[in-house]
Protein backbone atom coordinates (compact mmCIF):
# COMPACT_ATOMS: atom_id res chain seq x y z
CA UNK A 1 0.00 0.00 0.00
CA UNK A 2 1.16 3.50 -0.82
CA UNK A 3 0.00 6.58 1.13
CA UNK A 4 0.54 10.30 0.57
CA UNK A 5 0.32 12.49 3.67
CA UNK A 6 0.08 16.26 3.52
CA UNK A 7 1.15 17.82 6.85
CA UNK A 8 3.56 14.95 7.61
CA UNK A 9 5.78 17.30 9.66
CA UNK A 10 2.89 18.15 12.04
CA UNK A 11 1.75 16.42 15.22
CA UNK A 12 -0.71 14.07 13.49
CA UNK A 13 1.68 13.58 10.57
CA UNK A 14 4.15 11.90 12.91
CA UNK A 15 1.66 9.52 14.55
CA UNK A 16 -0.06 8.62 11.29
CA UNK A 17 3.12 8.01 9.29
CA UNK A 18 4.57 5.90 12.13
CA UNK A 19 1.42 3.77 12.15
CA UNK A 20 1.44 3.31 8.35
CA UNK A 21 5.18 2.59 8.16
CA UNK A 22 4.79 -0.05 10.87
CA UNK A 23 2.06 -1.60 8.72
CA UNK A 24 4.53 -1.78 5.83
CA UNK A 25 3.03 1.06 3.80
CA UNK A 26 5.24 3.01 1.44
CA UNK A 27 4.74 6.52 2.83
CA UNK A 28 5.17 9.76 0.87
CA UNK A 29 5.06 13.02 2.79
CA UNK A 30 4.64 16.53 1.53
CA UNK A 31 6.97 19.04 3.15
CA UNK A 32 7.38 22.72 2.51
CA UNK A 33 10.59 24.61 2.28
CA UNK A 34 11.42 26.69 5.36
CA UNK A 35 14.53 28.59 6.39
CA UNK A 36 14.91 26.31 9.39
CA UNK A 37 14.70 22.51 9.46
CA UNK A 38 11.00 21.63 9.93
CA UNK A 39 11.25 17.83 10.08
CA UNK A 40 12.09 17.59 13.82
CA UNK A 41 8.99 15.60 14.72
CA UNK A 42 9.59 12.96 12.04
CA UNK A 43 13.40 12.76 12.39
CA UNK A 44 13.19 9.34 14.14
CA UNK A 45 11.14 8.03 11.19
CA UNK A 46 13.50 9.61 8.67
CA UNK A 47 16.52 7.83 10.12
CA UNK A 48 14.69 4.49 10.29
CA UNK A 49 12.71 4.44 7.04
CA UNK A 50 14.16 6.97 4.57
CA UNK A 51 17.33 5.04 3.66
CA UNK A 52 15.32 2.01 2.47
CA UNK A 53 12.91 4.19 0.48
CA UNK A 54 9.89 3.19 2.55
CA UNK A 55 9.54 6.84 3.55
CA UNK A 56 9.89 9.61 0.97
CA UNK A 57 9.59 13.38 1.30
CA UNK A 58 8.57 15.78 -1.47
CA UNK A 59 8.61 19.59 -1.54
CA UNK A 60 5.20 21.05 -2.27
CA UNK A 61 2.58 23.33 -0.73
CA UNK A 62 -1.19 23.12 -0.44
CA UNK A 63 -1.48 26.42 -2.26
CA UNK A 64 0.68 25.21 -5.18
CA UNK A 65 -1.95 23.32 -7.15
CA UNK A 66 0.27 22.24 -10.03
CA UNK A 67 2.87 20.69 -7.77
CA UNK A 68 0.17 18.83 -5.79
CA UNK A 69 -1.43 17.50 -8.98
CA UNK A 70 1.92 16.48 -10.47
CA UNK A 71 2.84 14.67 -7.26
CA UNK A 72 -0.39 12.67 -7.07
CA UNK A 73 -0.25 11.79 -10.77
CA UNK A 74 3.35 10.64 -10.43
CA UNK A 75 2.83 8.58 -7.25
CA UNK A 76 -0.71 7.30 -7.80
CA UNK A 77 -1.05 6.45 -4.09
CA UNK A 78 -3.76 4.14 -2.70
CA UNK A 79 -4.63 6.62 0.05
CA UNK A 80 -4.23 10.38 0.53
CA UNK A 81 -4.48 11.86 4.03
CA UNK A 82 -4.94 15.64 3.86
CA UNK A 83 -3.64 16.79 7.24
CA UNK A 84 -1.91 20.04 6.26
CA UNK A 85 -3.41 23.33 7.41
CA UNK A 86 -2.63 26.60 9.13
CA UNK A 87 -4.15 24.94 12.17
CA UNK A 88 -4.01 27.67 14.84
CA UNK A 89 -7.43 29.23 15.38
CA UNK A 90 -6.16 32.49 16.95
CA UNK A 91 -3.58 32.94 14.15
CA UNK A 92 -6.35 32.49 11.56
CA UNK A 93 -7.78 35.86 12.68
CA UNK A 94 -4.37 37.48 12.05
CA UNK A 95 -3.71 35.66 8.73
CA UNK A 96 -7.22 35.05 7.39
CA UNK A 97 -6.42 34.94 3.68
CA UNK A 98 -3.49 32.57 4.00
CA UNK A 99 -5.51 30.35 6.36
CA UNK A 100 -8.39 30.29 3.89
CA UNK A 101 -6.15 29.55 0.92
CA UNK A 102 -4.37 26.72 2.74
CA UNK A 103 -7.59 25.32 4.15
CA UNK A 104 -9.58 25.25 0.91
CA UNK A 105 -7.55 25.25 -2.34
CA UNK A 106 -5.46 22.20 -1.47
CA UNK A 107 -8.49 20.05 -0.67
CA UNK A 108 -10.30 20.75 -3.90
CA UNK A 109 -7.07 20.40 -5.90
CA UNK A 110 -6.46 16.94 -4.45
CA UNK A 111 -10.06 15.86 -5.00
CA UNK A 112 -10.05 17.17 -8.56
CA UNK A 113 -6.79 15.32 -9.28
CA UNK A 114 -8.18 12.10 -7.78
CA UNK A 115 -11.31 12.48 -9.91
CA UNK A 116 -9.18 12.72 -13.05
CA UNK A 117 -7.06 9.61 -12.40
CA UNK A 118 -8.05 6.10 -13.42
CA UNK A 119 -7.18 4.78 -9.97
CA UNK A 120 -9.67 4.58 -7.06
CA UNK A 121 -7.62 6.66 -4.63
CA UNK A 122 -9.09 6.93 -1.14
CA UNK A 123 -9.11 10.39 0.47
CA UNK A 124 -9.16 11.48 4.12
CA UNK A 125 -9.97 15.10 5.02
CA UNK A 126 -8.95 16.47 8.44
CA UNK A 127 -12.24 18.10 9.48
CA UNK A 128 -12.56 19.70 12.88
CA UNK A 129 -14.88 20.13 15.85
CA UNK A 130 -14.18 23.88 15.46
CA UNK A 131 -16.78 23.75 12.66
CA UNK A 132 -19.52 23.40 15.33
CA UNK A 133 -18.58 26.66 17.02
CA UNK A 134 -19.44 25.45 20.52
CA UNK A 135 -22.68 27.40 20.68
CA UNK A 136 -24.69 24.88 22.69
CA UNK A 137 -23.79 22.71 25.65
CA UNK A 138 -24.96 19.57 23.87
CA UNK A 139 -22.87 16.59 22.87
CA UNK A 140 -22.02 16.99 19.17
CA UNK A 141 -22.27 14.31 16.50
CA UNK A 142 -22.15 13.95 12.70
CA UNK A 143 -25.63 15.53 12.34
CA UNK A 144 -25.01 18.59 14.53
CA UNK A 145 -25.18 22.03 12.89
CA UNK A 146 -22.00 23.88 11.89
CA UNK A 147 -21.52 27.41 13.20
CA UNK A 148 -17.93 28.36 12.26
CA UNK A 149 -16.52 31.19 14.38
CA UNK A 150 -13.10 31.81 12.81
CA UNK A 151 -11.52 31.97 9.34
CA UNK A 152 -9.93 28.60 10.25
CA UNK A 153 -13.30 26.99 10.97
CA UNK A 154 -14.91 28.53 7.88
CA UNK A 155 -12.18 27.05 5.67
CA UNK A 156 -12.66 23.65 7.36
CA UNK A 157 -16.41 23.81 6.63
CA UNK A 158 -15.63 24.46 2.95
CA UNK A 159 -13.28 21.48 2.76
CA UNK A 160 -15.71 19.28 4.67
CA UNK A 161 -18.50 20.14 2.24
CA UNK A 162 -16.40 19.77 -0.90
CA UNK A 163 -15.21 16.35 0.30
CA UNK A 164 -18.83 15.26 0.71
CA UNK A 165 -19.75 16.77 -2.67
CA UNK A 166 -17.00 14.79 -4.48
CA UNK A 167 -18.04 11.61 -2.66
CA UNK A 168 -21.68 12.01 -3.68
CA UNK A 169 -21.09 13.39 -7.18
CA UNK A 170 -18.23 11.22 -8.44
CA UNK A 171 -18.40 8.15 -6.22
CA UNK A 172 -14.95 8.87 -4.77
CA UNK A 173 -13.98 7.12 -1.50
CA UNK A 174 -13.71 10.46 0.33
CA UNK A 175 -14.05 10.62 4.11
CA UNK A 176 -14.30 13.45 6.65
CA UNK A 177 -12.89 12.73 10.09
CA UNK A 178 -14.47 15.33 12.38
CA UNK A 179 -11.85 15.29 15.09
CA UNK A 180 -12.17 16.94 18.48
CA UNK A 181 -8.99 18.33 20.07
CA UNK A 182 -6.18 15.81 20.32
CA UNK A 183 -2.87 16.44 21.99
CA UNK A 184 0.48 14.75 22.71
CA UNK A 185 4.06 15.54 23.67
CA UNK A 186 4.44 16.56 20.00
CA UNK A 187 1.62 19.13 20.10
CA UNK A 188 2.60 22.57 18.80
CA UNK A 189 3.83 24.70 21.69
CA UNK A 190 1.37 27.55 21.17
CA UNK A 191 -1.73 25.37 21.70
CA UNK A 192 -3.00 25.70 25.25
CA UNK A 193 -2.33 22.17 26.54
CA UNK A 194 1.29 22.11 25.39
CA UNK A 195 1.83 25.70 26.50
CA UNK A 196 0.78 24.57 29.98
CA UNK A 197 2.78 21.31 30.01
CA UNK A 198 5.88 23.11 28.70
CA UNK A 199 5.49 25.74 31.46
CA UNK A 200 5.03 23.09 34.17
CA UNK A 201 8.23 21.31 33.05
CA UNK A 202 10.22 24.54 33.07
CA UNK A 203 8.77 25.85 36.33
CA UNK A 204 9.60 22.51 37.92
CA UNK A 205 13.20 22.82 36.64
CA UNK A 206 13.32 26.42 37.89
CA UNK A 207 13.88 28.00 34.48
CA UNK A 208 10.45 29.71 34.18
CA UNK A 209 8.39 31.64 36.72
CA UNK A 210 4.90 32.18 35.29
CA UNK A 211 2.71 31.31 32.34
CA UNK A 212 0.21 33.73 30.81
CA UNK A 213 -3.06 32.39 29.43
CA UNK A 214 -6.34 33.75 28.06
CA UNK A 215 -9.80 32.26 28.58
CA UNK A 216 -9.46 29.77 31.44
CA UNK A 217 -13.13 28.78 31.33
CA UNK A 218 -13.13 27.45 27.77
CA UNK A 219 -13.71 23.70 27.72
CA UNK A 220 -12.53 21.10 25.23
CA UNK A 221 -12.95 17.39 24.60
CA UNK A 222 -9.24 16.49 24.71
CA UNK A 223 -7.90 13.11 23.55
CA UNK A 224 -4.52 11.62 22.61
CA UNK A 225 -3.29 12.16 19.01
CA UNK A 226 -1.98 8.58 18.73
CA UNK A 227 -5.50 7.21 19.34
CA UNK A 228 -7.01 9.64 16.82
CA UNK A 229 -4.61 8.91 13.95
CA UNK A 230 -5.50 5.21 14.35
CA UNK A 231 -9.11 6.34 13.88
CA UNK A 232 -8.15 8.10 10.60
CA UNK A 233 -6.60 4.88 9.30
CA UNK A 234 -9.66 2.85 10.34
CA UNK A 235 -11.92 5.21 8.37
CA UNK A 236 -10.08 4.53 5.12
CA UNK A 237 -10.21 0.75 5.72
CA UNK A 238 -14.02 0.74 6.11
CA UNK A 239 -16.20 -0.77 3.38
CA UNK A 240 -17.85 2.54 2.49
CA UNK A 241 -16.90 6.20 2.84
CA UNK A 242 -18.73 8.40 5.32
CA UNK A 243 -18.13 11.09 7.97
CA UNK A 244 -17.22 10.17 11.55
CA UNK A 245 -16.68 12.11 14.78
CA UNK A 246 -13.67 11.15 16.91
CA UNK A 247 -13.95 12.35 20.50
CA UNK A 248 -13.67 11.08 24.06
CA UNK A 249 -17.17 12.13 25.23
CA UNK A 250 -15.63 14.10 28.15
CA UNK A 251 -14.94 17.80 28.37
CA UNK A 252 -12.61 19.77 30.68
CA UNK A 253 -11.88 23.45 31.13
CA UNK A 254 -8.47 25.03 30.54
CA UNK A 255 -8.41 25.62 34.31
CA UNK A 256 -8.92 21.89 34.94
CA UNK A 257 -6.08 21.05 32.55
CA UNK A 258 -3.78 23.49 34.37
CA UNK A 259 -4.83 22.14 37.76
CA UNK A 260 -4.14 18.53 36.72
CA UNK A 261 -0.78 19.44 35.11
CA UNK A 262 0.59 21.46 38.05
CA UNK A 263 -0.61 18.79 40.54
CA UNK A 264 1.73 16.27 38.87
CA UNK A 265 4.73 18.23 40.17
CA UNK A 266 3.07 19.06 43.51
CA UNK A 267 2.32 22.72 42.69
CA UNK A 268 -0.85 24.82 42.78
CA UNK A 269 -1.65 26.23 39.31
CA UNK A 270 -3.08 29.44 40.78
CA UNK A 271 0.41 30.43 42.00
CA UNK A 272 1.85 30.32 38.44
CA UNK A 273 -0.89 31.11 35.90
CA UNK A 274 -1.55 34.74 34.99
CA UNK A 275 -4.34 36.05 32.82
CA UNK A 276 -3.79 38.28 29.81
CA UNK A 277 -6.41 39.65 27.48
CA UNK A 278 -3.94 39.32 24.60
CA UNK A 279 -4.70 35.58 24.45
CA UNK A 280 -8.44 36.15 24.01
CA UNK A 281 -9.85 35.67 20.48
CA UNK A 282 -12.20 38.04 18.61
CA UNK A 283 -14.79 35.23 18.67
CA UNK A 284 -14.44 32.36 21.11
CA UNK A 285 -15.56 28.73 20.92
CA UNK A 286 -16.51 28.29 24.56
CA UNK A 287 -17.43 24.66 24.89
CA UNK A 288 -16.83 21.50 22.86
CA UNK A 289 -18.02 18.01 23.72
CA UNK A 290 -18.16 15.18 21.17
CA UNK A 291 -20.29 12.09 20.85
CA UNK A 292 -18.24 9.23 19.39
CA UNK A 293 -21.08 6.63 19.36
CA UNK A 294 -21.23 6.28 15.55
CA UNK A 295 -17.52 5.53 15.15
CA UNK A 296 -17.63 3.11 18.08
CA UNK A 297 -20.58 1.23 16.59
CA UNK A 298 -19.43 1.18 12.95
CA UNK A 299 -15.62 1.09 13.17
CA UNK A 300 -15.09 -0.27 16.69
CA UNK A 301 -12.89 2.77 17.47
CA UNK A 302 -12.59 4.01 21.05
CA UNK A 303 -10.07 6.34 22.68
CA UNK A 304 -7.61 4.39 24.84
CA UNK A 305 -5.99 7.28 26.75
CA UNK A 306 -7.78 9.00 29.64
CA UNK A 307 -7.61 12.74 30.32
CA UNK A 308 -5.40 12.18 33.39
CA UNK A 309 -3.00 9.89 31.46
CA UNK A 310 -2.77 12.40 28.62
CA UNK A 311 -1.82 15.26 30.94
CA UNK A 312 0.70 13.04 32.75
CA UNK A 313 2.30 11.89 29.46
CA UNK A 314 2.71 15.49 28.29
CA UNK A 315 4.05 16.85 31.60
CA UNK A 316 6.52 13.98 32.05
CA UNK A 317 7.98 14.49 28.56
CA UNK A 318 8.21 18.24 29.10
CA UNK A 319 10.01 17.81 32.42
CA UNK A 320 12.69 15.85 30.51
CA UNK A 321 12.92 18.53 27.83
CA UNK A 322 13.25 21.28 30.44
CA UNK A 323 16.01 19.33 32.20
CA UNK A 324 18.04 19.41 28.97
CA UNK A 325 17.31 23.13 28.56
CA UNK A 326 18.50 23.78 32.11
CA UNK A 327 21.88 22.23 31.33
CA UNK A 328 22.24 24.50 28.29
CA UNK A 329 21.22 27.57 30.30
CA UNK A 330 23.65 26.68 33.10
CA UNK A 331 26.42 26.49 30.49
CA UNK A 332 25.46 29.80 28.88
CA UNK A 333 24.45 28.07 25.65
CA UNK A 334 20.78 29.10 25.76
CA UNK A 335 19.00 32.30 26.75
CA UNK A 336 15.39 31.60 27.72
CA UNK A 337 12.85 33.66 25.79
CA UNK A 338 9.70 31.64 26.49
CA UNK A 339 8.14 34.03 28.97
CA UNK A 340 8.09 36.76 26.29
CA UNK A 341 6.78 34.63 23.41
CA UNK A 342 3.48 32.74 22.73
P1 LIG B 1 -0.08 20.85 13.02
O1 LIG B 1 0.76 20.17 14.03
O2 LIG B 1 -0.25 22.31 13.07
O3 LIG B 1 0.51 20.45 11.57
C1 LIG B 1 0.10 21.11 10.41
C2 LIG B 1 0.89 20.59 9.23
O4 LIG B 1 0.46 21.27 8.05
C3 LIG B 1 2.40 20.81 9.33
O5 LIG B 1 3.05 19.70 8.75
C4 LIG B 1 2.62 22.05 8.46
O6 LIG B 1 3.91 22.15 7.93
C5 LIG B 1 1.62 21.75 7.36
N1 LIG B 1 1.26 22.94 6.57
C6 LIG B 1 0.79 24.12 7.02
N2 LIG B 1 0.54 24.95 5.99
C7 LIG B 1 0.87 24.26 4.86
C8 LIG B 1 0.84 24.56 3.47
N3 LIG B 1 0.43 25.74 3.02
N4 LIG B 1 1.24 23.61 2.60
C9 LIG B 1 1.67 22.42 3.04
N5 LIG B 1 1.73 22.07 4.34
C10 LIG B 1 1.33 22.99 5.23
O7 LIG B 1 -1.56 20.21 12.99
P2 LIG B 1 -2.07 18.83 13.63
O8 LIG B 1 -2.45 19.08 15.04
O9 LIG B 1 -1.15 17.75 13.26
O10 LIG B 1 -3.45 18.66 12.84
C11 LIG B 1 -3.50 17.97 11.59
C12 LIG B 1 -4.74 18.42 10.84
O11 LIG B 1 -5.91 18.10 11.59
C13 LIG B 1 -4.84 19.91 10.56
O12 LIG B 1 -5.48 20.07 9.30
C14 LIG B 1 -5.73 20.44 11.65
O13 LIG B 1 -6.38 21.62 11.24
C15 LIG B 1 -6.68 19.28 11.81
N6 LIG B 1 -7.26 19.10 13.15
C16 LIG B 1 -6.46 19.06 14.24
C17 LIG B 1 -7.01 18.84 15.49
C18 LIG B 1 -6.14 18.78 16.72
O14 LIG B 1 -6.71 18.90 17.82
N7 LIG B 1 -4.85 18.56 16.59
C19 LIG B 1 -8.41 18.65 15.61
C20 LIG B 1 -9.19 18.69 14.46
C21 LIG B 1 -8.61 18.90 13.23
P3 LIG B 1 5.13 22.84 8.77
O15 LIG B 1 5.60 21.78 9.73
O16 LIG B 1 6.09 23.17 7.71
O17 LIG B 1 4.55 24.03 9.48
N1 LIG C 1 -3.69 28.70 22.22
C1 LIG C 1 -4.08 29.22 23.39
N2 LIG C 1 -3.19 29.95 24.13
N3 LIG C 1 -5.35 29.01 23.80
C2 LIG C 1 -5.71 29.51 25.00
C3 LIG C 1 -4.84 30.24 25.80
C4 LIG C 1 -3.52 30.48 25.33
O1 LIG C 1 -2.70 31.13 25.97
N4 LIG C 1 -5.50 30.58 26.94
C5 LIG C 1 -6.74 30.08 26.84
N5 LIG C 1 -6.88 29.43 25.67
C6 LIG C 1 -8.13 28.79 25.18
C7 LIG C 1 -8.54 29.22 23.79
O2 LIG C 1 -9.18 30.50 23.83
C8 LIG C 1 -9.45 28.06 23.40
O3 LIG C 1 -10.76 28.29 23.88
C9 LIG C 1 -8.85 26.87 24.12
O4 LIG C 1 -7.93 27.39 25.07
C10 LIG C 1 -8.12 25.89 23.22
O5 LIG C 1 -7.24 26.61 22.39
P1 LIG C 1 -6.13 25.88 21.50
O6 LIG C 1 -5.32 24.96 22.30
O7 LIG C 1 -5.42 26.94 20.72
O8 LIG C 1 -6.99 24.94 20.52
P2 LIG C 1 -8.33 25.21 19.70
O9 LIG C 1 -9.43 24.45 20.39
O10 LIG C 1 -8.56 26.64 19.45
O11 LIG C 1 -8.00 24.54 18.30
C11 LIG C 1 -7.41 23.24 18.22
O12 LIG C 1 -8.42 22.26 18.18
C12 LIG C 1 -9.28 22.30 17.04
C13 LIG C 1 -10.32 21.17 17.19
O13 LIG C 1 -11.39 21.61 17.97
C14 LIG C 1 -6.54 23.21 16.96
O14 LIG C 1 -5.80 22.01 16.96
C15 LIG C 1 -7.38 23.24 15.70
O15 LIG C 1 -6.54 23.03 14.57
C16 LIG C 1 -8.43 22.11 15.80
O16 LIG C 1 -9.25 22.10 14.64
Amino acid sequence: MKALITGITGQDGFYLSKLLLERNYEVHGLIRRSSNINTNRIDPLISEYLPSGQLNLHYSDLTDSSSLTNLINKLLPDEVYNLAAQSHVAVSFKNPIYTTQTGTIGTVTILETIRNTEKNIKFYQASSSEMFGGVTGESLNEDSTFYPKSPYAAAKVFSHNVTKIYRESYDIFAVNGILFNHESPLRGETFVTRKISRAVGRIYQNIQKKVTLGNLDASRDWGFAGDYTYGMYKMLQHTKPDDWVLATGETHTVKEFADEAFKIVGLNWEDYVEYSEKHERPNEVHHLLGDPSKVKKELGWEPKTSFKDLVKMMVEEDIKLAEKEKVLIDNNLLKPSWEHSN
Side-chain angles (χ1 to χ4, degrees), residues 90 195 211-215 274-281 284 341-342:
K195 191 171 161 185
V211 59
T212 307
L213 302 176
N215 182 6
E274 282 179 353
Y275 169 79
S276 168
E277 204 181 357
K278 79 171 181 194
H279 297 300
E280 295 278 359
R281 297 163 183 193
E284 174 66 300
S341 54
N342 287 340

Side-chain angles (χ1 to χ4, degrees), residues 12 82-104 125-132 148-160 177 179-182 187 191 281 285 288:
D12 292 2
N82 186 28
L83 307 186
Q86 188 304 93
S87 72
H88 203 284
V89 175
V91 172
S92 82
F93 286 99
K94 311 262 185 215
N95 296 183
I97 309 229
Y98 175 67
T99 305
T100 305
Q101 284 168 338
T102 312
T104 58
Q125 169 58 22
S127 281
S128 164
S129 50
E130 274 293 301
M131 300 187 304
F132 297 121
K149 285 191 166 178
S150 61
Y152 168 80
K156 285 290 182 189
V157 170
F158 171 86
S159 281
H160 181 94
L179 271 52
F180 282 65
N181 298 50
H182 45 280
R187 182 57 144 155
F191 295 97
R281 297 163 183 193
V285 171
L288 287 175

